[in-house]
């Protein structure tokens, strides 16, 4: 099997990233606190054991928190542009390790090597963004109603930010959070997905190297490992003012309740059920590329993956034929082989959910037009490779309303004008990414208007999948309402303080209140 550019094997990849093959604890000082049960990481690519990681016990966790809270006291005093310089160095380290980290992402998570590299590129991009931001963490000034007074707002760091991440973006989501949190003066404690713990260790090693070189405490970036129980150490901990959690809506509801119960803040990035509306004025060639990449890229395991095509009845058959023809050309196999378009699902539980969705859609009256199925035999030993499937369905089917994290695409028909399509698109519980394919300006503007798409992301003539780091990223409704990455998303990592300074010898009260003594 031919593999692309990173012409080194997985052993060398792990070495380059300082990840020990059998990893009891990890190579950095902080993570040697990990002494709990051993977590095994198997690759969905070939089913092989890649490494073992010790999970974090409650006692270990307390030590990590101790290191993080101490580090915060140093880090918050460093001027923000100097913190930006550290993030710049971190971005440079990522450039050096891009191939190795991209390869580990691909092998541990199962996405293509190109997508693995793309994920590391997102980390680099957010570092660049954060470096500039470190000189722009500005507040406002406003006029005081009292003479001789000055009033303004400033932003201070929050403290320890807890990050809980999903398996499907095992490194980028952490960087989206940390790069901003660090320039804002926060320190971070990260619990990566228990399905991709080695990616977490690799990232922690890179960060630790940068902090060590600069004589800064390693506690600025902390790592804890384990499943939801370890995540709960953080969600219940009053020492953590902000929890940024990425994952399923089910997880988000639990995290939101635990954090709100102690009046902490949460930033939630949860499931999507993303649709492309295809109107009679759509460019069909562009539509097919956007729809197929959106549905099968990362084997349908992106939060922004395309799950529904809402197609006008006048072009329904044409689009259906074009998309099903494109599916015939898909090659499924080892994601490290650049010839393949579709890699594996993360594990056999995900395969079961995929199979279940195909059963459910038929039970509800749907019609499968591109058959699914699990691939077996040489090259598919992990049992995680499935065929991307397409079903004709109705918008109200329960399974269509649900996010199945797999390559299952539903074709839905609409008639009349674009309002009807928008209503179908909005009529789901999730609100992450949405798109319209049209060359009709009126339809495009309707889709983007106040009564148009209700999602956090609304695109015209682009698919639903993927996003640039420059914009605020996130979704509405059951997607959780959080925004991270670009634009002014940094504000969530800081606390706002309003300051009023009196430079007179009088003490006038606000609202003209008199209090004479
Ligand atoms: P998951 O919900 O199973 O797990 C995500 C993380 O949450 C893991 O680290 C897990 O250990 C932790 N966790 C689970 N329950 C917890 C609890 N009660 N307390 C604390 N931590 C807990 O999700 P997954 O299968 O890893 O990822 C897939 C899901 O993530 C999909 O729904 C996808 O749409 C979503 N996702 C959303 C975005 C986004 O930006 N909106 C990005 C990536 C993934």
């Amino acid at each position: 099997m031919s593999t692309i550019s990173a012409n080194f094997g997985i052993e060398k990849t792990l070495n380059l990233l300082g990840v020990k093959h059998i990893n009891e604890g990890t190579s950095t000082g902080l993570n040697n606190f990990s002494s709990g049960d051993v977590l095994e990481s198997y690759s969905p690519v070939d089913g092989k054991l890649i490494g073992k990681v010790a999970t974090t016990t409650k006692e270990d966790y307390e030590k990590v928190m101790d290191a993080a809270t101490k580090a915060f006291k140093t880090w918050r005093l460093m001027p923000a542009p100097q913190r930006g310089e550290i993030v710049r160095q971190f971005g440079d380290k990522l450039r050096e390790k891009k191939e190795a980290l991209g390869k580990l992402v691909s092998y541990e998570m199962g996405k293509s090597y190109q997508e693995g590299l793309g994920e590391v590129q997102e980390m680099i991009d957010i570092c660049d963004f954060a470096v500039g931001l470190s000189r722009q963490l500005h507040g406002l000034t406003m006029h005081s109603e009292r003479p001789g007074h000055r009033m303004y707002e400033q932003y201070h760091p929050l403290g320890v930010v807890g990050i809980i991440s999903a398996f499907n973006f095992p490194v980028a989501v952490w960087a989206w959070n940390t790069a901003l949190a660090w320039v804002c003066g926060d320190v971070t404690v990260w619990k990566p997905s228990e399905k991709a713990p080695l990616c977490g260790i690799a990232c922690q090693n890179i960060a630790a190297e940068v902090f060590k070189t600069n004589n800064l405490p390693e506690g600025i970036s902390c790592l804890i490992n384990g499943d939801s129980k370890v995540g709960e150490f953080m969600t219940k901990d009053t020492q953590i003012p902000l929890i940024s959690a990425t994952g399923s809506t089910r997880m988000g509801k639990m995290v939101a309740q635990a954090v709100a119960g102690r009046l902490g803040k949460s930033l939630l990035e949860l499931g999507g059920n993303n649709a492309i509306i295809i109107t009679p004025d759509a460019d069909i060639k562009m539509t097919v590329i956007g729809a197929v990449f959106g549905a099968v890229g990362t084997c349908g395991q992106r939060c922004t993956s395309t799950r529904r095509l809402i197609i006008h009845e006048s072009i329904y058959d044409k689009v259906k034929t074009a998309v099903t023809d494109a599916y015939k050309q898909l090659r499924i196999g080892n994601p490290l082989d650049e010839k393949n378009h579709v890699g594996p699902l993360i594990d056999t539980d995900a395969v079961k959910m995929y199979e279940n969705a195909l059963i459910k859609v038929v039970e509800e009256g749907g019609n499968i037009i591109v058959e699914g199925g699990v691939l077996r035999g040489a090259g598919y030993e992990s049992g995680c490779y499935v065929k991307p499937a397409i079903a004709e369905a109705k918008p109200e089917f329960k399974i269509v309303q649900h996010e199945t994290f797999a390559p299952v695409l539903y074709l839905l028909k609409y008639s009349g004008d674009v309002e009807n399509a928008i209503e179908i698109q909005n009529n789901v519980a999730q609100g992450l990414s949405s798109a319209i394919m049209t060359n009709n300006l009126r339809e495009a503007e309707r889709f983007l208007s106040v009564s148009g798409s209700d999602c956090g992301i609304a695109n015209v003539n682009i698919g639903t999948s993927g996003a640039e780091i420059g914009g605020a990223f996130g979704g509405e409704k059951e997607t959780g309402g959080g925004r991270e990455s670009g634009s002014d998303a940094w504000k969530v990592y800081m606390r706002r303080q309003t300051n009023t300074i009196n430079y007179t010898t009088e003490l006038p009260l606000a609202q003209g209140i008199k209090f004479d003594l």
Side-chain angles (χ1 to χ4, degrees):
M1 184 147 331
S2 77
T3 52
I4 52 176
S5 63
N7 55 356
F8 42 81
I10 196 63
E11 285 297 333
K12 183 145 182 231
T13 302
L14 293 173
N15 269 336
L16 283 167
L17 296 167
V19 179
K20 289 181 210 151
H21 189 56
I22 301 294
N23 213 314
E24 307 282 355
T26 74
S27 51
T28 63
L30 257 186
N31 299 293
N32 285 334
F33 290 148
S34 292
S35 60
D37 296 344
V38 168
L39 194 64
E40 293 179 327
S41 177
Y42 289 90
S43 169
V45 174
D46 54 14
K48 290 193 179 136
L49 178 67
I50 322 173
K52 296 183 186 181
V53 178
T55 57
T56 306
T57 64
K58 190 75 200 318
E59 278 181 349
D60 304 331
Y61 172 76
E62 299 302 345
K63 288 181 198 156
V64 168
M65 280 304 293
D66 200 37
T69 44
K70 278 200 186 101
F72 175 59
K73 292 196 170 127
T74 315
W75 186 238
R76 67 180 170 181
L77 297 179
M78 195 178 210
Q82 286 182 27
R83 295 194 295 255
E85 164 56 20
I86 304 299
V87 171
R88 190 194 61 73
Q89 291 178 28
F90 176 60
D92 280 352
K93 269 275 169 276
L94 288 170
R95 283 179 171 90
E96 270 172 40
K97 311 258 178 181
K98 183 174 170 182
E99 286 207 327
L101 189 55
K103 188 157 190 174
L104 178 60
V105 167
S106 174
Y107 189 58
E108 191 174 35
M109 184 274 156
K111 63 176 66 176
S112 75
Y113 177 54
Q114 281 305 328
E115 288 177 300
L117 292 177
E119 208 181 317
V120 183
Q121 187 57 49
E122 275 191 33
M123 301 172 82
I124 295 166
D125 292 343
I126 195 73
C127 286
D128 288 352
F129 181 90
V131 174
L133 189 65
S134 70
R135 293 182 185 270
Q136 299 175 71
L137 302 169
H138 53 255
L140 294 171
T141 62
M142 54 282 291
H143 289 269
S144 167
E145 66 186 43
R146 288 169 279 185
H149 282 56
R150 187 165 71 81
M151 199 156 95
Y152 71 103
E153 287 174 352
Q154 61 177 336
Y155 287 86
H156 288 310
L158 283 173
V160 182
V161 171
I163 301 163
I164 296 170
S165 61
F167 77 84
N168 65 328
F169 276 90
V171 296
V173 166
W174 170 71
W176 285 7
N177 283 281
T178 48
L180 296 199
W182 290 343
V183 295
C184 288
D186 299 315
V187 300
T188 53
V189 178
W190 177 28
K191 192 202 83 61
S193 167
E194 59 274 36
K195 295 176 185 174
L198 299 177
C199 282
I201 289 167
C203 290
Q204 171 67 12
N205 287 349
I206 297 169
E209 204 181 318
V210 175
F211 291 119
K212 193 171 175 198
T213 309
N214 288 279
N215 232 352
L216 286 163
E218 194 187 339
I220 296 164
S221 172
C222 299
L223 181 74
I224 56 175
N225 276 305
D227 59 14
S228 59
K229 288 185 239 51
V230 177
E232 281 172 14
F233 296 159
M234 291 206 286
T235 58
K236 293 181 178 158
D237 189 344
T238 52
Q239 298 173 94
I240 302 190
L242 171 68
I243 296 285
S244 172
T246 303
S248 59
T249 295
R250 191 179 146 273
M251 171 284 281
K253 287 182 178 168
M254 291 190 283
V255 167
Q257 283 178 27
V259 178
R262 58 175 178 83
L263 299 183
K265 291 207 279 182
S266 46
L267 189 176
L268 300 173
E269 298 284 353
L270 312 175
N273 191 348
N274 317 298
I276 303 180
I277 294 173
I278 306 164
T279 82
D281 279 318
D283 178 322
I284 302 293
K285 195 169 164 224
M286 278 167 65
T287 300
V288 172
I289 298 169
V292 176
F293 173 71
V296 311
T298 328
C299 200
Q301 299 172 108
R302 284 185 179 215
C303 50
T304 53
S305 288
T306 308
R307 314 253 171 240
R308 301 176 292 150
L309 297 185
I310 305 168
I311 311 164
H312 193 268
E313 59 182 358
S314 64
I315 51 159
Y316 184 86
D317 289 338
K318 196 171 165 190
V319 174
K320 176 177 152 183
T321 307
V323 173
T324 49
D325 281 353
Y327 266 53
K328 287 180 195 144
Q329 291 160 40
L330 293 177
R331 278 185 302 270
I332 307 159
N334 188 332
L336 288 159
D337 181 343
E338 70 178 324
K339 290 201 301 304
N340 292 323
H341 302 104
V342 185
L345 286 171
I346 183 70
D347 56 21
T348 48
D349 287 344
V351 172
K352 281 189 205 119
M353 283 191 263
Y354 154 89
E355 291 181 301
N356 187 43
L358 294 178
I359 294 168
K360 283 267 162 59
V361 72
V362 172
E363 278 174 6
E364 289 194 76
N367 174 32
I368 295 192
I369 55 169
V370 174
E371 288 289 337
V374 184
L375 293 161
R376 308 267 176 220
Y380 303 126
E381 289 84 356
S382 69
C384 298
Y385 291 87
V386 300
K387 292 191 220 161
I390 304 180
E392 295 183 291
K394 292 264 163 48
E396 63 276 14
F397 286 1
K398 278 205 183 102
I399 193 66
V400 173
Q401 297 273 320
H402 172 84
E403 179 199 45
T404 301
F405 219 51
V408 179
L409 180 66
Y410 302 114
L411 304 195
L412 313 173
K413 200 183 276 181
Y414 81 95
S415 51
D417 71 13
V418 76
E419 325 291 286
N420 299 332
I422 294 171
E423 195 178 324
I424 295 171
Q425 117 85 35
N426 287 348
N427 200 15
V428 292
Q430 311 82 355
L432 182 53
S433 185
S434 60
I436 190 168
M437 302 302 285
T438 184
N439 287 325
N440 180 322
L441 178 71
R442 287 192 184 129
E443 285 179 338
E445 290 292 340
R446 272 290 296 112
F447 177 72
L448 300 176
S449 75
V450 62
S451 53
S453 165
D454 63 1
C455 291
I457 297 166
N459 296 331
V460 176
N461 291 333
I462 304 175
T464 62
S465 183
E468 294 183 27
I469 62 106
F473 180 84
E476 303 300 334
K477 304 193 287 184
E478 285 198 353
T479 304
R483 288 296 183 279
E484 58 190 21
S485 192
S487 184
D488 64 353
W490 61 271
K491 287 185 177 166
V492 78
Y493 302 90
M494 303 200 84
R495 63 185 169 88
R496 183 183 359 204
Q497 187 176 65
T498 304
N499 308 111
T500 312
I501 300 149
N502 176 2
Y503 56 91
T504 71
T505 53
E506 307 292 316
L507 191 63
L509 301 177
Q511 291 89 42
I513 293 169
K514 295 264 181 275
F515 188 75
D516 292 329
L517 287 177

